[in-house]
Amino acid sequence: MTARKRQRSKRQRSRARTQVRARAQARARLKAAVIGGVVLLALLAVFWSTVWPYVMAAVLFGAIGTVGWWLWRTDRIVRAQDRRWRRNDEVEAGRRTLAEVDAMTGTEFEELVAGLCRRDGCTEVRRVGGSHDNGADVLGRLPDGRTMVIQCKRYTPSSTIASRELRDLLGAKVHFRADLAVFVATTRFSRPSEEFAVEHGILAVHRDHLGLWNNGVPLASLWGVNGRGQGDFRHRARWRQAYGK
């Protein structure tokens, strides 16, 4: 017999011994469980007149606990469904086409952005845009508690957001001591401004992402695609054909 065959035979014998020990241990555990059950039943039979109130109390409390857990779980499911329905209703009620957004005034657009933030669970949302807004149009808190400052620009789709406008927002972030800065525009960002936004942690919501946000995508989801979505040269060519620049 070769060394390899002897080694294989040794492994097989070892595996067989392990299986035998496992079966023996399983039988021993089963035997112990049966003996324990018999002893418990015997004790209950002997001392039933003494222990029956406690047994009945344990059964009663177990039943109450089970019913309570079922009611709590049902309430959680109903509340979750209600939240989903309410959110869907809010999305449907607030859904607008980008053409309708283009027809808004600057103030109406800021109110739209503030409303989208509230829809997504943001708190303390307020519009602060005006002649002395210090570079901010909307302030608020994300659902996780972080503060944010938002600049809104309702430009014509043929316009382009320049880097200097994002620098102004960066200054507003420092002024308001905000954790995050968001720039929402109805047009596209220039390549340098897009790179500036990514480099300095500014969420640049261009026209295509605004359309997604307006149609129900949560604001938090847009962070994962920041700096993307404006397409390659073919996309820019179609953009110029659509909007004249």
Side-chain angles (χ1 to χ4, degrees):
M1 182 182 292
T2 63
R4 180 175 297 177
K5 289 182 178 180
R6 284 196 298 270
Q7 188 176 9
R8 186 184 304 117
S9 177
K10 184 177 179 180
R11 283 198 301 269
Q12 291 173 347
R13 288 195 300 271
S14 176
R15 205 161 33 241
R17 286 194 296 269
T18 301
Q19 292 174 351
V20 169
R21 283 196 298 269
R23 286 194 291 268
Q25 290 173 354
R27 286 194 296 269
R29 286 194 294 269
L30 178 60
K31 183 178 179 180
V34 171
I35 293 173
V38 171
V39 171
L40 179 61
L41 290 175
L43 291 174
L44 285 175
V46 173
F47 298 102
W48 178 251
S49 60
T50 303
V51 302
W52 76 266
Y54 302 102
V55 174
M56 295 304 295
V59 172
L60 179 62
F61 283 122
I64 293 174
T66 301
V67 172
W69 173 84
W70 180 82
L71 290 174
W72 172 82
R73 182 173 178 273
T74 301
D75 179 71
R76 290 290 298 272
I77 293 173
V78 170
R79 286 177 180 271
Q81 290 176 341
D82 182 67
R83 285 194 297 270
R84 285 195 295 270
W85 290 333
R86 287 180 182 273
R87 174 174 170 77
N88 290 337
D89 288 343
E90 290 175 353
V91 170
E92 290 299 328
R95 183 169 287 160
R96 300 172 179 84
T97 66
L98 290 178
E100 291 176 306
V101 175
D102 291 336
M104 291 180 176
T105 64
T107 300
E108 289 172 338
F109 181 55
E110 292 166 7
E111 291 290 355
L112 168 66
V113 171
L116 292 175
C117 291
R118 296 188 188 98
R119 182 204 70 190
D120 291 344
C122 299
T123 58
E124 301 179 20
V125 179
R126 65 187 190 277
R127 192 184 69 83
V128 295
S131 57
H132 302 289
D133 58 12
N134 293 304
D137 292 319
V138 177
L139 298 175
R141 287 183 179 274
L142 291 168
D144 60 12
R146 289 179 296 173
T147 57
M148 63 177 177
V149 56
I150 303 177
Q151 179 66 256
C152 306
K153 292 298 182 184
R154 193 206 57 78
Y155 288 166
T156 59
S158 59
S159 303
T160 304
I161 303 298
S163 301
R164 65 178 179 277
E165 300 195 64
L166 280 91
R167 293 191 184 93
D168 293 340
L169 176 58
L170 204 58
K173 177 185 176 184
V174 174
H175 175 79
F176 288 100
R177 298 178 182 177
D179 297 315
L180 299 170
V182 183
F183 198 112
V184 184
T186 55
T187 183
R188 61 183 293 112
F189 292 84
S190 67
R191 184 61 58 82
S193 63
E194 189 178 50
E195 293 172 352
F196 182 90
V198 173
E199 180 182 355
H200 292 86
I202 298 173
L203 175 58
V205 182
H206 53 74
R207 185 178 182 85
D208 292 342
H209 286 170
L210 173 61
L212 294 174
W213 188 24
N214 188 52
N215 281 277
V217 174
L219 177 63
S221 300
L222 298 180
W223 285 98
V225 293
N226 191 30
R228 298 194 294 274
Q230 295 199 128
D232 55 14
F233 69 94
R234 289 185 293 267
H235 184 276
R236 291 192 292 274
R238 289 194 296 270
W239 182 282
R240 284 192 294 267
Q241 290 175 358
Y243 301 114
K245 185 176 179 181

